[in-house]
Amino acid sequence: MDAYKTVNDVLVNLINEVWVLEGKAIITEEFKDLTNNDMHVIEAIGKGEGKNMSSIAKRLNITVGTLTSSMNRLVKKNYVERFRSEEDRRIVFVRLLEKGVRAFDHHAEYHRRMTEAVLAKLTEDEIPVLVKTLAGFSEFFREYHGIPAEGLRADH
């Protein structure tokens, strides 16, 4: 098989497999009420004192309206809570509740295991090649969709 066909097949299959298999791995019995999208919203919120809705939407490259729909479901399921800024009551912040922190940690553990499994198969000399390849892959998608580099999550 030639290099072009091999790379194309691997990339197409990888994209599909990552989405499907990640959903199966992270949506366990404890988190069966979440979707893969919900888990990525939880990831974007992160741990800490909270983030405003527009910064979360920007990180996910979605509109605040789309995020509001997801957030309504996550609030109802007790994964997150909304609260208003003390300085400017118009600004709404969101933070993870205990259940949301558990989901965040579970998702982060899956990513850690996935990354370590890939790195374990590489030599020290091969790691920079993989990083350069993945950066090129990411750059292609950003440019193809007209998304500025700062508009995407770098930690996912």
PDB file of all heavy atoms in Angstrom, residues 101-114:
ATOM      1  N   VAL A 101     -16.695  17.379  39.200  1.00  0.00           N
ATOM      2  CA  VAL A 101     -15.258  17.183  39.429  1.00  0.00           C
ATOM      3  C   VAL A 101     -14.895  15.709  39.229  1.00  0.00           C
ATOM      4  O   VAL A 101     -13.868  15.394  38.625  1.00  0.00           O
ATOM      5  CB  VAL A 101     -14.843  17.680  40.835  1.00  0.00           C
ATOM      6  CG1 VAL A 101     -13.420  17.253  41.173  1.00  0.00           C
ATOM      7  CG2 VAL A 101     -14.995  19.198  40.923  1.00  0.00           C
ATOM      8  N   ARG A 102     -15.748  14.804  39.720  1.00  0.00           N
ATOM      9  CA  ARG A 102     -15.489  13.366  39.517  1.00  0.00           C
ATOM     10  C   ARG A 102     -15.490  13.029  38.026  1.00  0.00           C
ATOM     11  O   ARG A 102     -14.641  12.274  37.551  1.00  0.00           O
ATOM     12  CB  ARG A 102     -16.514  12.511  40.265  1.00  0.00           C
ATOM     13  CG  ARG A 102     -16.288  12.447  41.752  1.00  0.00           C
ATOM     14  CD  ARG A 102     -17.048  11.317  42.448  1.00  0.00           C
ATOM     15  NE  ARG A 102     -18.415  11.140  42.014  1.00  0.00           N
ATOM     16  CZ  ARG A 102     -19.474  11.769  42.536  1.00  0.00           C
ATOM     17  NH1 ARG A 102     -19.308  12.629  43.521  1.00  0.00           N
ATOM     18  NH2 ARG A 102     -20.690  11.526  42.090  1.00  0.00           N
ATOM     19  N   ALA A 103     -16.438  13.586  37.275  1.00  0.00           N
ATOM     20  CA  ALA A 103     -16.493  13.348  35.829  1.00  0.00           C
ATOM     21  C   ALA A 103     -15.252  13.929  35.156  1.00  0.00           C
ATOM     22  O   ALA A 103     -14.652  13.286  34.278  1.00  0.00           O
ATOM     23  CB  ALA A 103     -17.764  13.957  35.236  1.00  0.00           C
ATOM     24  N   PHE A 104     -14.850  15.132  35.558  1.00  0.00           N
ATOM     25  CA  PHE A 104     -13.647  15.761  35.007  1.00  0.00           C
ATOM     26  C   PHE A 104     -12.422  14.880  35.238  1.00  0.00           C
ATOM     27  O   PHE A 104     -11.640  14.623  34.322  1.00  0.00           O
ATOM     28  CB  PHE A 104     -13.437  17.143  35.643  1.00  0.00           C
ATOM     29  CG  PHE A 104     -12.193  17.839  35.163  1.00  0.00           C
ATOM     30  CD1 PHE A 104     -12.253  18.721  34.098  1.00  0.00           C
ATOM     31  CD2 PHE A 104     -10.976  17.620  35.782  1.00  0.00           C
ATOM     32  CE1 PHE A 104     -11.110  19.361  33.649  1.00  0.00           C
ATOM     33  CE2 PHE A 104      -9.823  18.245  35.340  1.00  0.00           C
ATOM     34  CZ  PHE A 104      -9.892  19.125  34.265  1.00  0.00           C
ATOM     35  N   ASP A 105     -12.257  14.420  36.472  1.00  0.00           N
ATOM     36  CA  ASP A 105     -11.104  13.578  36.808  1.00  0.00           C
ATOM     37  C   ASP A 105     -11.127  12.264  36.025  1.00  0.00           C
ATOM     38  O   ASP A 105     -10.087  11.781  35.573  1.00  0.00           O
ATOM     39  CB  ASP A 105     -11.069  13.292  38.312  1.00  0.00           C
ATOM     40  CG  ASP A 105     -10.685  14.510  39.130  1.00  0.00           C
ATOM     41  OD1 ASP A 105     -10.132  15.480  38.569  1.00  0.00           O
ATOM     42  OD2 ASP A 105     -10.952  14.500  40.355  1.00  0.00           O
ATOM     43  N   HIS A 106     -12.298  11.691  35.862  1.00  0.00           N
ATOM     44  CA  HIS A 106     -12.443  10.439  35.101  1.00  0.00           C
ATOM     45  C   HIS A 106     -12.020  10.645  33.644  1.00  0.00           C
ATOM     46  O   HIS A 106     -11.273   9.838  33.091  1.00  0.00           O
ATOM     47  CB  HIS A 106     -13.897   9.970  35.195  1.00  0.00           C
ATOM     48  CG  HIS A 106     -14.208   8.775  34.365  1.00  0.00           C
ATOM     49  ND1 HIS A 106     -13.693   7.529  34.641  1.00  0.00           N
ATOM     50  CD2 HIS A 106     -14.971   8.638  33.255  1.00  0.00           C
ATOM     51  CE1 HIS A 106     -14.136   6.673  33.728  1.00  0.00           C
ATOM     52  NE2 HIS A 106     -14.912   7.327  32.884  1.00  0.00           N
ATOM     53  N   HIS A 107     -12.461  11.735  33.047  1.00  0.00           N
ATOM     54  CA  HIS A 107     -12.112  12.046  31.663  1.00  0.00           C
ATOM     55  C   HIS A 107     -10.615  12.317  31.535  1.00  0.00           C
ATOM     56  O   HIS A 107      -9.960  11.834  30.596  1.00  0.00           O
ATOM     57  CB  HIS A 107     -12.930  13.253  31.205  1.00  0.00           C
ATOM     58  CG  HIS A 107     -12.845  13.535  29.752  1.00  0.00           C
ATOM     59  ND1 HIS A 107     -12.983  14.799  29.250  1.00  0.00           N
ATOM     60  CD2 HIS A 107     -12.641  12.746  28.676  1.00  0.00           C
ATOM     61  CE1 HIS A 107     -12.872  14.771  27.931  1.00  0.00           C
ATOM     62  NE2 HIS A 107     -12.659  13.532  27.567  1.00  0.00           N
ATOM     63  N   ALA A 108     -10.059  13.073  32.472  1.00  0.00           N
ATOM     64  CA  ALA A 108      -8.627  13.374  32.455  1.00  0.00           C
ATOM     65  C   ALA A 108      -7.795  12.098  32.583  1.00  0.00           C
ATOM     66  O   ALA A 108      -6.752  11.955  31.933  1.00  0.00           O
ATOM     67  CB  ALA A 108      -8.276  14.354  33.578  1.00  0.00           C
ATOM     68  N   GLU A 109      -8.249  11.172  33.399  1.00  0.00           N
ATOM     69  CA  GLU A 109      -7.540   9.892  33.557  1.00  0.00           C
ATOM     70  C   GLU A 109      -7.543   9.107  32.255  1.00  0.00           C
ATOM     71  O   GLU A 109      -6.537   8.490  31.883  1.00  0.00           O
ATOM     72  CB  GLU A 109      -8.170   9.079  34.689  1.00  0.00           C
ATOM     73  CG  GLU A 109      -7.596   7.683  34.870  1.00  0.00           C
ATOM     74  CD  GLU A 109      -6.117   7.658  35.256  1.00  0.00           C
ATOM     75  OE1 GLU A 109      -5.549   8.702  35.625  1.00  0.00           O
ATOM     76  OE2 GLU A 109      -5.517   6.562  35.174  1.00  0.00           O
ATOM     77  N   TYR A 110      -8.656   9.117  31.543  1.00  0.00           N
ATOM     78  CA  TYR A 110      -8.713   8.442  30.237  1.00  0.00           C
ATOM     79  C   TYR A 110      -7.685   9.061  29.285  1.00  0.00           C
ATOM     80  O   TYR A 110      -6.934   8.343  28.611  1.00  0.00           O
ATOM     81  CB  TYR A 110     -10.123   8.542  29.646  1.00  0.00           C
ATOM     82  CG  TYR A 110     -10.190   8.015  28.239  1.00  0.00           C
ATOM     83  CD1 TYR A 110     -10.216   6.649  27.997  1.00  0.00           C
ATOM     84  CD2 TYR A 110     -10.199   8.875  27.154  1.00  0.00           C
ATOM     85  CE1 TYR A 110     -10.256   6.147  26.698  1.00  0.00           C
ATOM     86  CE2 TYR A 110     -10.236   8.382  25.851  1.00  0.00           C
ATOM     87  CZ  TYR A 110     -10.267   7.024  25.635  1.00  0.00           C
ATOM     88  OH  TYR A 110     -10.297   6.549  24.354  1.00  0.00           O
ATOM     89  N   HIS A 111      -7.632  10.383  29.244  1.00  0.00           N
ATOM     90  CA  HIS A 111      -6.667  11.053  28.361  1.00  0.00           C
ATOM     91  C   HIS A 111      -5.238  10.744  28.775  1.00  0.00           C
ATOM     92  O   HIS A 111      -4.371  10.537  27.918  1.00  0.00           O
ATOM     93  CB  HIS A 111      -6.916  12.555  28.371  1.00  0.00           C
ATOM     94  CG  HIS A 111      -8.065  12.964  27.517  1.00  0.00           C
ATOM     95  ND1 HIS A 111      -8.061  14.093  26.758  1.00  0.00           N
ATOM     96  CD2 HIS A 111      -9.267  12.380  27.297  1.00  0.00           C
ATOM     97  CE1 HIS A 111      -9.209  14.200  26.106  1.00  0.00           C
ATOM     98  NE2 HIS A 111      -9.961  13.167  26.434  1.00  0.00           N
ATOM     99  N   ARG A 112      -4.978  10.703  30.081  1.00  0.00           N
ATOM    100  CA  ARG A 112      -3.631  10.392  30.560  1.00  0.00           C
ATOM    101  C   ARG A 112      -3.221   8.998  30.112  1.00  0.00           C
ATOM    102  O   ARG A 112      -2.129   8.794  29.586  1.00  0.00           O
ATOM    103  CB  ARG A 112      -3.558  10.494  32.090  1.00  0.00           C
ATOM    104  CG  ARG A 112      -2.142  10.278  32.648  1.00  0.00           C
ATOM    105  CD  ARG A 112      -2.158  10.048  34.151  1.00  0.00           C
ATOM    106  NE  ARG A 112      -2.861   8.843  34.541  1.00  0.00           N
ATOM    107  CZ  ARG A 112      -2.401   7.585  34.382  1.00  0.00           C
ATOM    108  NH1 ARG A 112      -1.224   7.372  33.832  1.00  0.00           N
ATOM    109  NH2 ARG A 112      -3.119   6.557  34.762  1.00  0.00           N
ATOM    110  N   ARG A 113      -4.110   8.037  30.298  1.00  0.00           N
ATOM    111  CA  ARG A 113      -3.806   6.650  29.914  1.00  0.00           C
ATOM    112  C   ARG A 113      -3.607   6.523  28.410  1.00  0.00           C
ATOM    113  O   ARG A 113      -2.704   5.825  27.957  1.00  0.00           O
ATOM    114  CB  ARG A 113      -4.906   5.718  30.400  1.00  0.00           C
ATOM    115  CG  ARG A 113      -4.908   5.573  31.922  1.00  0.00           C
ATOM    116  CD  ARG A 113      -6.035   4.723  32.439  1.00  0.00           C
ATOM    117  NE  ARG A 113      -5.969   3.387  31.869  1.00  0.00           N
ATOM    118  CZ  ARG A 113      -6.995   2.560  31.778  1.00  0.00           C
ATOM    119  NH1 ARG A 113      -8.182   2.923  32.217  1.00  0.00           N
ATOM    120  NH2 ARG A 113      -6.855   1.375  31.256  1.00  0.00           N
ATOM    121  N   MET A 114      -4.427   7.200  27.629  1.00  0.00           N
ATOM    122  CA  MET A 114      -4.319   7.159  26.178  1.00  0.00           C
ATOM    123  C   MET A 114      -2.965   7.736  25.735  1.00  0.00           C
ATOM    124  O   MET A 114      -2.250   7.130  24.930  1.00  0.00           O
ATOM    125  CB  MET A 114      -5.457   7.965  25.540  1.00  0.00           C
ATOM    126  CG  MET A 114      -5.374   8.095  24.033  1.00  0.00           C
ATOM    127  SD  MET A 114      -6.691   9.126  23.332  1.00  0.00           S
ATOM    128  CE  MET A 114      -6.364  10.716  24.085  1.00  0.00           C
TER     129      MET A 114
END
